[in-house]
Amino acid sequence: MSESSASPSDALWQAVIRVPKPSFELFEASFEGALSVSSEPDGEDRFRLTAIYAGKPDKDALETGLAIAAAAAATPIPTLSLSPLETRDWV
């Protein structure tokens, strides 16, 4: 296996939030510029949204988008988890 020489800002990053089920689509729109966004049930009444980015996303811009979505959904602003994805040699 070889180690990647990419810096953390060049790596793939993920943003994760957990939101009320009825409003998850409003929050999906907050992940502008993501390579992909996935959603999955997280308990009976919540969804876990995961967005993948090429490079480190702008945390302030993401938090602003989440605040706008939360206001539109009349729900608290979700906690944003932002981290680089682990580099793996899948071969």
Side-chain angles (χ1 to χ4, degrees):
M1 278 189 232
S2 63
E3 292 293 320
S4 172
S5 61
S7 70
S9 62
D10 295 334
L12 292 176
W13 281 69
Q14 71 176 358
V16 179
I17 59 172
R18 288 173 174 80
V19 297
K21 191 179 212 177
S23 58
F24 83 94
E25 289 176 333
L26 287 171
F27 288 99
E28 276 184 324
S30 300
F31 291 131
E32 187 174 325
L35 297 174
S36 69
V37 179
S38 63
S39 60
E40 60 185 307
D42 186 35
E44 189 174 308
D45 61 347
R46 301 189 70 75
F47 263 72
R48 178 178 191 257
L49 300 177
T50 303
I52 304 298
Y53 291 88
K56 186 175 182 179
D58 182 337
K59 184 177 181 182
D60 291 337
L62 284 173
E63 289 177 337
T64 297
L66 293 174
I68 292 168
T75 189
I77 300 169
T79 300
L80 173 65
S81 171
L82 191 59
S83 62
L85 287 177
E86 178 183 334
T87 302
R88 293 185 185 179
D89 183 355
W90 293 97
V91 179

